[in-house]
Amino acid sequence: MSIECDAVQGINLSQGICDLDLPEAVRLGAEQAMLDGINHYTRYDGLERLRKAIAKKMLDFNGMTVDPEKNVIVSSGATGAFYSACLALLDPGDEVIIFEPYYGYHVSTIESVEAVPVYVSLAPPEWTFTIDELEKAVTPKTKAIVINTPGNPSGKVFSQAELELLADFCVKHDLFIFTDEIYEYFIYEGYKHISPGSLEKIAKKTITISGYSKTYSITGWRIGYVVCDEEWAQMIGYMSDLIYVCAPAPLQIGVAAGIESMPESYYTELCNTFKRKRDLLCTTLTEVGLTPYIPQGAYYVLADSSSLKGNTSKERAMQLLEKTGVGSVPGSAFFHGNNGDKLLRFCFAAEDSVLQEACARLIKLKHS
Ligand code: PLP
């Protein structure tokens, strides 16, 4: 869709690229690190300064006690962290439960290690699940479950009650929990980010994955991490070392500087800014008959595109692009069956002026 969108000089709300500026402290931290000569391989699990900063943040923000020497592995983004964890902990043929709508990389990564994704649907508008459906998905081969909170593309934020249910389910079946929390700081009113790893009964088997691509708008820096029990950390770190050697050294320092120095208000402002963007886009989508499922977190919105012509979500996305010059992602990208055929995903992590122009263009639908 990005290629199609560029071809018509459209406004691309399809990709999850945040085009906002990075915080100055993060940029200066990386620049200074380069000047200071921190330009070489780092320890396989990351520089001490960054592991310590992450450990402190895990305690303060996620409510998890973490030893920076034993439980933190810095990797090449959350993507590298998840891939390393899958390589370390999954065997070919293992089944992994994954909620849909899902983030495509989760499925592709699971498949790339020859494990098998098993889908459980989240029901809109609140993207809820039942334990019955989870139980139906379990077989003797089930090894793990993937949670993404806040979720891409649904914006779902798992509640304490839901996580307690999931925790009991995972204990019962002795499952690993891979939890991708890359949008942990993008949470809207009435919701709270809870890390599954903070629930004691599943702490040992929870592999927490996150990073700073989104929080600091540095998707190209590739700084992410795994936090987990030391029993798994060594093998995950070994895999990360094998594939990536280390995350970029000066950029690790930039992120550490950010974690150490960004005030609480930065994160609050992030939520406020993105809530405004969410509300602008969702109001417009509602107005033009593309009813949105209002996201609880992250920076995507799924919208019902039944009002557009087309038999598939791809045809509808193309129709929208033709009529308005706004690029979106066909819902089919987030489902293994045809449940996504009526949906389109829009990303609202764009500069205000870009988002406003996209909304002005979408309004054309009203008059067409
Ligand atoms: N996880 C989810 C759910 C995402 O949506 C994305 C990016 O879109 C990533 C991970 C990628 O994170 P990173 O840039 O840290 O690899």
Side-chain angles (χ1 to χ4, degrees):
M1 283 311 293
S2 292
I3 294 166
E4 296 286 352
C5 191
D6 285 349
V8 297
Q9 281 159 8
I11 296 194
N12 191 357
L13 298 189
S14 58
Q15 266 186 320
I17 296 176
C18 183
D19 59 11
L20 309 177
D21 270 346
L22 79 171
E24 197 181 32
V26 176
R27 181 176 57 75
L28 291 176
E31 283 175 10
Q32 192 57 49
M34 282 181 214
L35 294 173
D36 291 346
I38 305 179
N39 298 303
H40 310 287
Y41 298 137
T42 73
R43 208 173 94 168
Y44 74 99
D45 52 357
L47 289 166
E48 185 184 16
R49 182 169 165 196
L50 179 55
R51 281 183 285 106
K52 279 190 168 161
I54 292 170
K56 182 168 183 318
K57 170 261 177 195
M58 293 307 293
L59 184 63
D60 297 345
F61 181 73
N62 307 83
M64 291 164 62
T65 304
V66 164
D67 181 341
E69 278 300 308
K70 294 185 182 147
N71 306 124
V72 181
I73 300 131
V74 175
S75 187
S76 178
T79 307
F82 185 58
Y83 184 41
S84 303
C86 287
L87 274 170
L89 299 176
L90 299 177
D91 291 316
D94 282 347
E95 292 177 5
V96 180
I97 296 177
I98 181 152
F99 289 110
E100 67 175 0
Y102 50 70
Y103 169 58
Y105 266 71
H106 289 156
V107 170
S108 310
T109 306
I110 289 165
E111 288 176 340
S112 77
V113 301
E114 295 179 52
V116 181
V118 175
Y119 303 96
V120 170
S121 294
L122 293 171
E126 296 290 318
W127 306 104
T128 47
F129 61 91
T130 64
I131 288 294
D132 267 5
E133 282 167 82
L134 283 170
E135 288 290 353
K136 273 190 223 146
V138 176
T139 77
K141 290 185 181 166
T142 311
K143 180 88 157 276
I145 184 168
V146 176
I147 297 174
N148 179 204
T149 184
N152 172 9
S154 66
K156 165 140 184 106
V157 174
F158 283 78
S159 69
Q160 179 83 34
E162 286 174 324
L163 291 176
E164 296 283 353
L165 279 177
L166 281 173
D168 289 337
F169 169 78
C170 291
V171 170
K172 179 174 167 197
H173 297 287
D174 192 25
L175 305 183
F176 279 109
I177 298 157
F178 295 103
T179 163
D180 179 340
E181 302 174 26
I182 190 86
Y183 298 102
E184 60 193 341
Y185 286 108
F186 297 80
I187 296 274
Y188 307 119
E189 78 292 323
Y191 298 93
K192 185 176 174 338
H193 175 66
I194 301 165
S195 289
S198 66
L199 275 60
E200 209 180 317
K201 63 183 125 180
I202 47 169
K204 165 107 187 166
K205 291 202 76 176
T206 297
I207 314 298
T208 304
I209 288 150
S210 194
Y212 281 87
S213 287
K214 315 287 175 173
T215 308
Y216 292 160
S217 301
I218 46 166
T219 49
W221 280 27
R222 315 310 306 131
I223 304 288
Y225 60 85
V226 178
V227 163
C228 65
D229 190 271
E230 64 178 304
E231 190 172 340
W232 331 116
Q234 219 172 6
M235 187 50 78
I236 296 173
Y238 179 77
M239 288 300 166
S240 185
D241 178 29
L242 188 64
I243 311 160
Y244 309 107
V245 181
C246 65
L251 308 188
Q252 292 189 42
I253 296 295
V255 169
I259 302 173
E260 288 159 3
S261 70
M262 297 309 287
E264 195 61 37
S265 57
Y266 171 78
Y267 303 97
T268 318
E269 195 42 45
L270 197 67
C271 290
N272 293 340
T273 304
F274 277 79
K275 183 188 174 300
R276 273 201 309 276
K277 292 179 192 293
R278 177 197 72 166
D279 291 348
L280 171 64
L281 181 59
C282 287
T283 306
T284 308
L285 290 171
T286 307
E287 213 175 308
V288 301
L290 297 172
T291 309
Y293 294 108
I294 311 289
Q296 305 163 350
Y299 50 56
Y300 307 94
V301 53
L302 285 171
D304 185 336
S305 63
S306 322
S307 58
L308 294 170
K309 279 201 210 105
N311 293 319
T312 62
S313 56
K314 195 171 169 200
E315 286 176 13
R316 292 191 175 98
M318 286 306 295
Q319 219 228 346
L320 185 68
L321 183 63
E322 265 164 44
K323 277 189 149 178
T324 66
V326 173
S328 58
V329 181
S332 54
F334 312 107
F335 292 85
H336 78 292
N338 51 12
N339 279 352
D341 272 351
K342 297 232 159 80
L343 298 172
L344 295 178
R345 189 198 76 176
F346 299 86
C347 171
F348 50 88
E351 294 277 3
D352 281 349
S353 57
V354 175
L355 203 57
Q356 277 156 6
E357 172 63 18
C359 289
R361 289 185 182 203
L362 284 169
I363 290 290
K364 286 185 205 158
L365 276 180
K366 242 171 96 171
H367 310 294
S368 65

